[in-house]
Amino acid sequence: MRIHRLEISAFGPFAGTEQIDFDRLSAHGLFLLNGPTGAGKTSVLDAICFALYGSVPGARQDGKRLRSDHAETGAEPRVTCEFSARGRHFEVSRAPAWDKPSSRGKNGFTVQQANTLLRERVDGVWVEKSGRNDEAGAEITDVLGMNRDQFTRVVMLPQGDFAAFLRSKAADRLDLLQSLFGTQRFEAVEAELSRKAQLARAELASLNSQLELLLARAEAETAALELDTAEAPDGTDADGRLAWLKTQTAAAAADRKEAAVAAELLRAGHAATLDAATSRAARQARLDAALARRSAAEASASALTLKADQLGLHRKAEVLSGQLQAVVQAEAAEELAAAAMAGAARELDAAAAADPELVALRTAGTEDATGSGAPTGARATAALRTVLGDLRSVRAVLNAGLPNEEKLSGLKARDARLSQALGGLRGARDAAQGTSDALRAESETLLAGLRPLEELAAEVQLRVKEAESAEELVIMVGRYAAAETACLAVTERRGRARDGHQERRQHWLDLREERLANAAAELASQLRAGVPCAVCGSTDHPLPAPAAASALAVAEAEQAAEHACAEAEAALAAVERDLADAQREVAVLAAQGGTTAAEDARLDAVLARDRAAEAVRAADDLAASRARQSALEEEIAAAGRAAAAAVSDIAQTESTIVAVREQAVSLELALNELRAGHPTLGERIAALDGATAVLERTDTARARLETAQTRTAEALTSLEQALPAAGFDSAGSARAVLLPADVAAALEAEIRAGQDEAARIGELFASEDVTLAAQERETDGPVAGDVVPALRLEYEAAERFARDTALASGLAGKSVQTLGRIAADYAALAEAGRAPRDRAALLAAVADAARGAGDNTYRMSLNTYVLAARLEQVALAASERLTGMSDGRYTLQHTDAKAARGAKSGLGLEVVDEWTGQRRDTATLSGGESFMASLALALGLADVVQQESGGVDIETLFVDEGFGSLDEQALEQVMDALEGLRDGGRVVGLVSHVGEMKQRIGTQLQVLKGRNGSTLHIADDANG
């Protein structure tokens, strides 16, 4: 890349138009950019960077301040740079945004937007490439192969930055190297590896969760057997524990089956001893027992009713417990905020009485500082915030006015000099006025008509581009509205899918709990009349366990519910992916301006089209007017060039005097008004800062109090709205019926026990035996004697024992079958998870190593590893130049030595002293040695970045300052190294004001500083 020509107008310190012929400077290979401090040496480099990239380096990026303060009011700031790269020839012209004088604009100015024109020379003709800022910037970046940061570090070598880079810690070098070499793709690889490792861990966690669920089902299945687990394997050996559970469950099932057979034989023996008489006596006994239980239940019925009523009131009040607690907390917070507000109000009252800046607060009144809600409180708040805003505005105005105090004295001195010069000019004007007055009047009239046309014609391209952009925005607004509507629809679908998934999951869990709790009923559901029991072998099934539904139906329903839950979960995941895509589309369109109001976008497009048409018409009118103006100018030139020159000089001088005096008077009045009785602006700013701090603290306290009051009111409103629905007329009545949790639980247990007892009594009186006993008692009377009850008690005991053992035996057999299925499922799932487990371990290890963790002992991430390789190349390239600069003493060497205390390694630099063979830290170099090392590092980095940018040939380099720290010998060696760059075909510009440099380098670009701005001058051996 080679720069051929640079033109600077009203930019930085340059008030007029300055042109730099870099081809002339390049003919010598090495030139010096010099000038006094503040003249604008760095501004020349800024102009090059602005022309190519539309911004300048560092803190000077604010485009609104790029325009020269020395330039004429209507002068447009512009930089034009002609350069060649990759065998192509370009010219780019840029103007920053600036305020142009206009009678129709706000405050007398109208904002001129930044504009760009990129042209390429093809076959000797300039061809326009782009008139848009972003398109031109992208084209130049592609041609140069460097972005702005890379360009300013590779072409304009900033010695201060590389000195800091040379001495900084290894970790601090990462940002610069990454911005230059663009290794973000390796960070993306690290992120992708981490993402895949997380997905693998999530998959493994899901697998482990399923295994844990199977193991928990096995534990729950055997819980009723009450196995002795003292010698069982613990949960870490899941396979061993499952095998132990199967063995022990099978043994327990066999024992219980033998016990059930023995119990049934015992029951049959007792039944044989009962004859018809004992059967009748037994029925009579059951009748007496039933009558006694019914009497006891009837006696406790009224107490149970009262307890049920008390529990019902508690359940209603329990719904309001959250709102009641919220009210208490909100009221406590409001008290604290009120106390803080009172303290702030006292501080404000004291400040308002002592500070004249707060007179507005004293006028409005601050008596309601606590913000109680009275009208005076609202007025005080408004007054406080109004005064606070006024003080901040005044503070900004005062800061802006500080430079004007020094500027005023300069204006007065300039007025005196201009007045003296005006006297001499008036004498020359009187002698040269003559016959040219009439022609000049006509010319001025025509010029007055040309200026508006020129302004409009200059904006033709800009306004056409604005119209195209406005049309694109209208289209974007329509796309955004459609995308937002689609996103809302997907959001509603996601809500419905989430609710459906939660409902189906809860239904599945309820059915599973029901099946586990209904194991006895599941066994009883398999009994058939006349068919022997699978457990005891009896064909008589007197009291099978009741069930609300078929156990088989419950199991089938559970499987169906589990399948439905899985389908709902998959549907929810699909909808959430759709929602993410829709939200991403909305965000992209919003970033492109889609949130603009549709009507505003349409009106803007219409206005932009009208403005473009107006500019085109003005361009046509301008061509005709300029033809007439050319003829008139020839007549004026022939009539009186001498008179025109004198009048022009007088007019310019008088205009300057008027402007200077107006500025001086305006500045004097403005400064007196801004001081407001204070000796200086600085003292008034200090007073304003104190008053602003008091107001800000008061406003913060008031805002906190208002927030607390709002929360209290919301909590009370929520409670009041919930009270009627819960059946209470006040918060006190709700608190009165609330019960402690243990009391409520005890009441509920008592009520449930009473209800269960009533149900059992009803079933008892409905039985055949009790009904027959009642009939027998009516006809035959009661059975007397103690033998029959005793026999009956023995029989009932044997019967209960036989029934319990049979049930236990059946449940144990069912558990053996279930455990077999669970063990098979566990083994299959564990085998299927072996590959995901190995993959998760591998991905975790690779991801940890890529981000500098795990077994990565150097704690060097993948991105750092790549940058370390680049830094090693930079150190080698820099050492080639540093060896020559230091007379063969020093070289730079990259080191990846492991950092102390676990810090990340890989980007270390050390200097090698070839005279002693010792390696030492770069921070130990002296000032001159540090400059040489940083210069060599910058040049080496430029070479490596050039190679990394696809072999872009960097033919023009600028080296900025630092030569003053070198002694005579070191300067000689550095100059030899720079001469070597020139011999390689490069053009090197040195930025320095060191006197010896001026003597050594004959070709110079001189920056001359003056009161009316800086100018540029090229001096070489042929032209001083």
Side-chain angles (χ1 to χ4, degrees):
M1 177 263 186
R2 180 181 291 274
I3 300 174
H4 300 287
R5 181 179 63 88
L6 182 68
E7 183 177 302
I8 307 173
S9 299
F11 183 90
F14 305 106
T17 299
E18 305 294 330
Q19 295 190 6
I20 305 173
D21 186 357
F22 276 98
D23 286 336
R24 176 181 172 187
L25 295 172
S26 302
H28 301 276
L30 185 67
F31 68 91
L32 180 67
L33 174 58
N34 72 342
T37 301
K41 298 187 297 297
T42 304
S43 295
V44 174
L45 306 184
D46 287 348
I48 295 173
C49 187
F50 177 77
L52 295 176
Y53 295 99
S55 60
V56 299
R60 302 183 297 279
Q61 292 187 48
D62 185 1
K64 294 183 179 179
R65 298 300 301 161
L66 295 178
R67 186 181 182 276
S68 176
D69 293 333
H70 300 284
E72 294 295 333
T73 306
E76 179 190 39
R78 181 168 292 277
V79 178
T80 301
C81 180
E82 185 179 341
F83 66 96
S84 59
R86 298 181 186 267
R88 302 169 67 183
H89 200 98
F90 294 91
E91 180 192 76
V92 58
S93 179
R94 290 186 189 265
W98 64 292
D99 293 334
K100 180 179 181 180
S102 173
S103 59
R104 294 178 295 174
K106 184 178 180 182
N107 298 325
F109 292 90
T110 181
V111 177
Q112 295 295 301
Q113 300 298 328
N115 61 84
T116 302
L117 178 61
L118 177 64
R119 303 192 300 171
E120 183 177 4
R121 195 168 186 84
V122 181
D123 297 331
V125 179
W126 287 110
V127 178
E128 180 178 338
K129 298 288 290 183
S130 175
R132 291 182 55 174
N133 299 328
D134 53 349
E135 287 183 355
E139 178 78 13
I140 292 173
T141 300
D142 181 63
V143 170
L144 297 183
M146 295 176 287
N147 58 30
R148 192 200 68 180
D149 291 338
Q150 291 173 319
F151 181 85
T152 56
R153 288 183 170 92
V154 174
V155 177
M156 301 176 179
L157 306 182
Q159 296 306 299
D161 288 353
F162 281 96
F165 178 82
L166 182 70
R167 298 174 182 270
S168 63
K169 297 179 181 179
D172 298 333
R173 297 188 176 107
L174 180 67
D175 292 339
L176 174 60
L177 292 174
Q178 182 165 303
S179 68
L180 291 177
F181 292 109
T183 57
Q184 291 82 0
R185 61 187 183 277
F186 296 103
E187 286 188 337
V189 171
E190 295 177 24
E192 180 63 17
L193 288 173
S194 177
R195 185 186 69 82
K196 289 186 176 180
Q198 290 178 355
L199 291 177
R201 284 194 294 270
E203 181 182 359
L204 187 59
S206 175
L207 176 66
N208 291 335
S209 176
Q210 296 179 49
L211 291 174
E212 291 172 0
L213 179 60
L214 288 174
L215 189 59
R217 286 179 57 189
E219 296 282 359
E221 194 67 38
T222 60
L225 300 178
E226 299 180 354
L227 301 177
D228 184 7
T229 59
E231 298 181 358
D234 57 18
T236 59
D237 182 10
D239 294 332
R241 190 168 183 86
L242 274 176
W244 182 87
L245 288 174
K246 287 177 61 179
T247 302
Q248 296 299 316
T249 301
D255 294 342
R256 295 192 178 194
K257 185 173 183 179
E258 293 178 0
V261 173
E264 180 57 27
L265 291 175
L266 180 61
R267 186 200 63 79
H270 283 285
T273 61
L274 293 177
D275 53 15
T278 58
S279 298
R280 180 170 175 268
R283 289 193 293 272
Q284 290 290 316
R286 286 198 296 274
L287 177 59
D288 292 337
L291 291 172
R293 288 176 66 184
R294 185 170 63 184
S295 298
E298 290 174 351
S300 60
S302 59
L304 284 176
T305 300
L306 293 175
K307 291 179 180 178
D309 294 341
Q310 183 181 9
L311 182 61
L313 289 174
H314 165 74
R315 294 301 185 203
K316 290 181 179 180
E318 192 176 23
V319 176
L320 304 173
S321 59
Q323 287 95 331
L324 294 171
Q325 183 63 26
V327 169
V328 173
Q329 293 174 351
E331 290 174 345
E334 182 179 350
E335 291 178 1
L336 292 176
M341 182 63 233
R346 288 192 295 271
E347 181 184 9
L348 178 60
D349 291 340
D355 194 336
E357 300 288 355
L358 302 179
V359 65
L361 283 181
R362 293 200 301 273
T363 302
T366 58
E367 63 278 2
D368 188 24
T370 60
S372 61
T376 55
R379 289 196 300 272
T381 300
L384 183 147
R385 292 177 178 171
T386 300
V387 172
L388 181 57
D390 293 343
L391 292 183
R392 289 171 177 164
S393 300
V394 172
R395 178 66 162 80
V397 172
L398 294 179
N399 283 337
L402 285 173
N404 291 336
E405 289 185 326
E406 182 178 354
K407 185 177 180 181
L408 179 60
S409 61
L411 289 173
K412 292 179 178 178
R414 187 182 180 189
D415 183 17
R417 293 193 303 272
L418 290 173
S419 297
Q420 184 178 0
L422 182 61
L425 291 174
R426 283 175 176 168
R429 177 200 60 190
D430 294 336
Q433 191 65 40
T435 60
S436 64
D437 292 343
L439 293 175
R440 188 171 300 281
E442 182 182 356
S443 175
E444 290 176 353
T445 301
L446 185 57
L447 286 174
L450 285 176
R451 289 192 183 94
L453 295 177
E454 289 174 345
E455 293 176 357
L456 289 174
E459 297 178 356
V460 168
Q461 188 176 31
L462 176 62
R463 291 192 178 190
V464 170
K465 296 295 183 182
E466 289 176 348
E468 293 174 356
S469 300
E471 294 290 350
E472 293 175 359
L473 181 59
V474 171
I475 297 173
M476 197 63 62
V477 168
R479 291 178 58 193
Y480 174 79
E484 194 173 40
T485 301
C487 184
L488 291 175
V490 177
T491 302
E492 294 178 357
R493 285 173 47 206
R494 195 271 301 268
R496 293 193 297 270
R498 183 179 55 209
D499 295 341
H501 171 252
Q502 292 175 351
E503 291 175 359
R504 293 184 181 183
R505 177 175 175 80
Q506 187 61 46
H507 179 57
W508 169 49
L509 294 176
D510 292 341
L511 289 175
R512 179 175 173 273
E513 184 66 25
E514 180 181 352
R515 184 185 67 77
L516 294 176
N518 213 21
E522 183 177 352
L523 183 61
S525 66
Q526 302 174 2
L527 298 177
R528 297 292 182 270
V531 178
C533 176
V535 178
C536 65
S538 174
T539 58
D540 185 19
H541 316 301
L543 292 173
S550 170
L552 180 59
V554 171
E556 293 175 349
E558 179 196 357
Q559 293 179 356
E562 182 179 5
H563 180 67
C565 178
E567 290 180 344
E569 184 176 6
L572 176 60
V575 174
E576 287 180 340
R577 289 193 296 271
D578 293 342
L579 178 60
D581 294 340
Q583 290 174 338
R584 189 180 305 108
E585 176 70 11
V586 170
V588 169
L589 293 175
Q592 296 174 352
T595 56
T596 305
E599 183 63 20
D600 292 345
R602 187 187 65 78
L603 293 177
D604 289 344
V606 173
L607 178 60
R609 288 196 298 270
D610 293 343
R611 283 169 50 82
E614 180 185 12
V616 171
R617 289 193 301 270
D620 296 338
D621 295 341
L622 179 63
S625 298
R626 279 179 173 170
R628 170 57 186 157
Q629 174 63 22
S630 298
L632 187 59
E633 286 177 352
E634 293 177 359
E635 295 176 11
I636 292 174
R641 290 187 177 87
V647 172
S648 176
D649 291 341
I650 291 174
Q652 182 177 2
T653 305
E654 288 176 343
S655 176
T656 304
I657 290 175
V658 171
V660 168
R661 290 176 179 174
E662 288 178 351
Q663 291 182 39
V665 172
S666 176
L667 282 177
E668 187 70 41
L669 293 176
L671 288 172
N672 289 336
E673 182 178 356
L674 291 177
R675 292 181 186 122
H678 291 275
T680 64
L681 290 180
E683 294 185 15
R684 190 182 181 197
I685 288 173
L688 281 175
D689 288 343
T692 301
V694 172
L695 291 175
E696 287 175 345
R697 288 193 292 271
T698 304
D699 189 45
T700 299
R702 186 180 300 278
R704 289 176 179 171
L705 177 58
E706 291 173 353
T707 300
Q709 290 172 339
T710 301
R711 290 177 178 170
T712 302
E714 290 174 352
L716 289 171
T717 301
S718 176
L719 178 60
E720 291 174 358
Q721 293 174 351
L723 282 170
F728 296 96
D729 54 1
S730 67
S733 61
R735 289 191 182 96
V737 298
L738 277 174
L739 298 174
D742 55 345
V743 175
L747 280 178
E748 187 174 8
E750 292 181 26
I751 294 170
R752 188 180 296 109
Q755 293 171 347
D756 292 344
E757 177 66 11
R760 286 193 292 269
I761 292 173
E763 293 174 357
L764 184 59
F765 274 95
S767 65
E768 181 180 354
D769 288 345
V770 174
T771 302
L772 180 58
Q775 295 174 354
E776 289 174 345
R777 177 166 290 184
E778 283 186 24
T779 56
D780 301 332
V783 177
D786 298 332
V787 176
V788 173
L791 291 175
R792 186 60 181 170
L793 289 174
E794 292 176 3
Y795 173 75
E796 288 177 353
E799 185 181 31
R800 285 194 300 272
F801 180 70
R803 186 169 60 248
D804 292 343
T805 53
L807 178 60
S809 177
L811 290 175
K814 184 67 173 178
S815 296
V816 171
Q817 298 175 4
T818 304
L819 276 177
R821 292 194 299 270
I822 291 175
D825 293 343
Y826 189 94
L829 189 60
E831 180 62 27
R834 193 178 308 278
R837 187 173 288 103
D838 295 341
R839 181 172 179 271
L842 176 61
L843 284 174
V846 173
D848 288 344
R851 66 183 179 85
D855 294 335
N856 191 335
T857 56
Y858 280 85
R859 298 183 60 79
M860 188 187 303
S861 67
L862 177 61
N863 182 43
T864 305
Y865 176 78
V866 174
L867 291 177
R870 299 294 185 269
L871 183 59
E872 186 174 7
Q873 295 174 345
V874 171
L876 290 174
S879 295
E880 294 179 5
R881 293 185 170 83
L882 182 58
T883 299
M885 295 180 189
S886 62
D887 198 18
R889 180 176 182 179
Y890 294 118
T891 59
L892 290 174
Q893 180 171 293
H894 162 257
T895 175
D896 58 0
K898 188 175 181 182
R901 294 185 294 276
K904 291 189 176 181
S905 311
L907 298 180
L909 271 179
E910 57 188 10
V911 62
V912 180
D913 190 337
E914 300 294 346
W915 292 2
T916 63
Q918 298 295 316
R919 293 177 173 85
R920 53 193 174 100
D921 192 272
T922 54
T924 62
L925 293 172
S926 65
E929 293 170 343
S930 179
F931 168 75
M932 290 190 294
S934 59
L935 176 60
L937 184 64
L939 295 173
L941 188 59
D943 291 340
V944 175
V945 171
Q946 175 180 339
Q947 297 170 6
E948 289 294 323
S949 299
V952 176
D953 190 8
I954 302 175
E955 301 180 63
T956 305
L957 284 178
F958 294 92
V959 182
D960 192 2
E961 281 298 351
F963 299 95
S965 62
L966 302 177
D967 57 26
E968 183 176 355
Q969 181 181 358
L971 181 59
E972 183 72 26
Q973 294 166 347
V974 169
M975 290 300 299
D976 289 343
L978 294 175
E979 288 284 351
L981 291 177
R982 180 178 66 177
D983 295 341
R986 286 179 174 171
V987 179
V988 182
L990 306 182
V991 183
S992 178
H993 50 63
V994 177
E996 188 173 348
M997 300 286 288
K998 298 179 184 179
Q999 298 175 4
R1000 293 177 60 94
I1001 303 175
T1003 304
Q1004 299 179 10
L1005 175 59
Q1006 299 172 348
V1007 185
L1008 307 178
K1009 181 170 65 174
R1011 288 185 174 273
N1012 297 324
S1014 298
T1015 58
L1016 295 171
H1017 174 68
I1018 296 179
D1020 52 24
D1021 296 335
N1023 181 17

